[in-house]
């Protein structure tokens, strides 16, 4: 009850910010970001677009990858209209396709830009069952696997940028509190829904993908520390806000639920606050492998912080990338940890 009251009134936590804080407010401490180059996936609408707007308004160079170049260009134009000096570069990317991710990274590297900040924000809630071109359930492919490969392929550039500039790199995974709903074996359920439509449940598939984002953060933080890289990774729950993520679930029931829960919903500036806080705030220097809610450190699920499960998912993901989904599903039972 007390936590709900604190949320409703926006009571600030140890960071000095709370549920009512906005992206503009949490980035004031960092000031100008003219030395920062950021990639923001899912930056053409909702939380991602507000994140892009605020970071660009602070001077950051922002790369907007998107499936729809039209949407990306429209987002860029809106930001530039408000902030004429903003540097926004749009590029083609379909996160559900590993080939598209690799092509995007090749094009990005050809530009010769440094990379200080990677915000893995894009999310998909697929009401209908679908399989990606790589043979993986579509929600998992888009929300997690594409981001896993994207991060892997950009890591060298991020480490080198941090070494050259002395500015600590940051990787930010946008997950959801719904990751706590999934408590079963990650790979077994993924194999089930990737091969058998009858076992697919949209909400469970979404919670699985969001748990995978948390596990990715857990394992990557360990690896970055072992590399002695001047790069951190953290994940966050942005809060509940009605965005295009729910576009496939529009209808009377959805409208009713959002109306009844309206007092718990955040505005877009509030929903983007935690992403911007984790991405830019000075007090998070050297903080890595953590989970944040309302701009304050919180606890992820027990499974999300399980280092063995995180290592297992990482190895499975590497198998998909290197040998394909069929080989990965066939071999995962034989992995040793």
């Amino acid at each position: 009850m007390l936590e709900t009251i604190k949320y409703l009134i926006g009571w600030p936590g140890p960071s000095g910010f709370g549920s009512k804080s906005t992206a503009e407010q949490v980035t004031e401490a960092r000031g100008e970001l003219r030395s920062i180059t950021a990639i923001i996936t899912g930056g053409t609408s909702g939380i991602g677009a507000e994140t892009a707007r605020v970071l660009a308004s602070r001077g950051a160079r922002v790369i907007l990858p998107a499936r729809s170049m039209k949407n990306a260009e429209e987002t860029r134009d809106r930001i530039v209209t408000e902030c004429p000096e903003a540097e926004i570069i749009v590029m083609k990317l379909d996160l559900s396709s590993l080939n598209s991710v690799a092509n995007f990274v090749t094009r990005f590297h050809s530009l010769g830009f440094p990379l200080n900040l990677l915000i893995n924000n894009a999310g998909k809630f697929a009401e209908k069952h679908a399989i990606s071109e790589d043979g993986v359930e579509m929600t998992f492919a888009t929300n997690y696997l594409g981001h896993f490969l994207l991060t892997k392929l950009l890591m060298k550039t991020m480490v080198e940028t941090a070494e050259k500039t002395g500015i600590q790199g940051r990787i930010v995974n946008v997950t959801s509190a719904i990751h706590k709903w999934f408590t079963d074996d990650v790979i077994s359920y993924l194999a089930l829904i990737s091969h058998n439509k009858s076992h697919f449940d949209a909400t469970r598939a979404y919670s699985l993908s969001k748990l995978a984002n948390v596990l990715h953060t857990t394992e990557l933080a360990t690896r970055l520390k072992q590399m002695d890289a001047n790069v951190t990774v953290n994940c966050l729950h942005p809060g509940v806000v009605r965005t295009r993520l729910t576009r496939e679930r529009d209808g009377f029931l959805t409208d009713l639920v959002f109306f009844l829960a309206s007092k718990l919903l955040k505005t877009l500036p509030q929903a983007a606050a935690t992403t911007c806080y984790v991405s830019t705030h000075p007090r998070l220097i050297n903080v890595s492998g953590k989970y944040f809610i309302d701009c304050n450190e919180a606890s992820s699920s027990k499974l999300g912080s399980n280092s063995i499960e995180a290592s297992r998912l990482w190895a499975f993901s590497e198998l998909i990338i290197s040998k394909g989904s069929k080989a990965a599903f066939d071999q995962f039972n034989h992995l040793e940890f």
Side-chain angles (χ1 to χ4, degrees):
M1 183 65 177
L2 178 60
E3 290 303 313
T4 300
I5 293 174
K6 287 183 176 180
Y7 174 86
L8 289 173
I9 65 176
W11 186 270
S15 69
F17 302 109
S19 62
K20 301 300 183 184
S21 299
T22 66
E24 294 275 6
Q25 292 169 340
V26 303
T27 54
E28 287 177 356
R30 182 61 186 265
E32 287 194 354
L33 299 173
R34 296 190 184 282
S35 59
I36 301 298
T37 297
I39 293 177
I40 307 173
T41 68
T44 62
S45 66
I47 296 169
E50 176 64 6
T51 300
R53 184 191 70 80
V54 171
L55 296 187
S57 72
R58 298 288 186 195
R61 174 194 289 132
V62 175
I63 314 296
L64 286 184
R67 282 189 305 169
S68 169
M69 292 298 288
K70 180 177 181 291
N71 290 344
E73 289 164 358
E74 289 175 351
T75 300
R76 178 193 60 197
D77 292 346
R78 286 197 300 271
I79 295 174
V80 171
T81 297
E82 179 182 336
C83 310
E85 296 183 0
E87 184 178 359
I88 311 286
I89 299 166
V90 300
M91 299 176 68
K92 184 75 172 178
L93 172 63
D94 180 353
L95 281 163
S96 72
S97 163
L98 297 179
N99 185 59
S100 178
V101 172
N103 288 338
F104 164 80
V105 173
T106 298
R107 291 193 300 272
F108 173 76
H109 283 153
S110 72
L111 298 175
F113 290 146
L115 182 59
N116 309 91
L117 176 60
L118 172 62
I119 303 178
N120 293 320
N121 165 81
K124 177 182 180 67
F125 190 111
E127 177 71 18
K128 297 180 180 179
H129 181 265
I131 302 298
S132 75
E133 65 183 46
D134 300 294
V136 179
E137 189 277 320
M138 189 63 78
T139 308
F140 187 89
T142 304
N143 294 357
Y144 165 73
L145 190 61
H147 283 129
F148 175 86
L149 180 58
L150 181 67
T151 304
K152 175 183 173 67
L153 296 180
L154 291 171
M155 185 58 60
K156 182 180 178 181
T157 300
M158 293 199 72
V159 172
E160 290 176 349
T161 298
E163 289 176 348
K164 291 177 181 178
T165 64
I167 300 173
Q168 190 168 73
R170 297 191 185 188
I171 300 166
V172 179
N173 289 332
V174 179
T175 181
S176 169
I178 202 175
H179 82 271
K180 296 182 179 182
W181 293 15
F182 193 91
T183 57
D184 296 326
D185 184 83
V186 172
I187 301 173
S188 294
Y189 183 65
L190 177 63
L192 195 64
I193 60 176
S194 293
H195 295 105
N196 193 329
K197 179 180 179 180
S198 64
H199 290 280
F200 176 76
D201 176 89
T203 301
R204 196 168 182 222
Y206 183 71
S207 64
L208 166 67
S209 72
K210 295 288 100 179
L211 172 62
N213 294 146
V214 179
L215 290 169
H216 180 216
T217 303
T218 298
E219 178 65 14
L220 183 54
T222 299
R223 290 175 178 256
L224 288 168
K225 184 177 181 179
Q226 291 171 346
M227 293 166 56
D228 198 27
N230 190 23
V231 178
T232 64
V233 59
N234 291 290
C235 61
L236 63 100
H237 168 60
V240 182
V241 58
R242 188 162 197 183
T243 70
R244 287 175 56 194
L245 183 65
T246 60
R247 62 187 178 274
E248 295 181 42
R249 297 179 68 86
D250 281 345
F252 174 76
L253 182 58
T254 301
D255 291 339
L256 178 61
V257 169
F258 273 91
F259 173 75
L260 295 175
S262 60
K263 296 301 181 183
L264 299 176
L265 296 183
K266 290 186 174 184
T267 64
L268 282 176
Q270 292 167 350
T274 306
T275 302
C276 288
Y277 174 76
V278 175
S279 298
T280 69
H281 204 280
R283 73 180 295 157
L284 265 64
I285 293 174
N286 296 327
V287 174
S288 193
K290 304 300 183 181
Y291 173 67
F292 291 83
I293 299 177
D294 297 333
C295 302
N296 288 278
E297 188 177 329
S299 297
S300 64
S301 70
K302 183 178 180 180
L303 184 56
S305 59
N306 187 311
S307 60
I308 295 176
E309 288 303 314
S311 179
R312 182 168 176 257
L313 177 61
W314 186 286
F316 174 75
S317 304
E318 291 276 17
L319 271 175
I320 293 181
I321 290 167
S322 62
K323 297 184 178 180
S325 60
K326 185 179 185 305
F329 284 126
D330 287 344
Q331 294 182 39
F332 87 94
N333 281 324
H334 305 293
L335 296 175
E336 296 182 1
F337 299 91

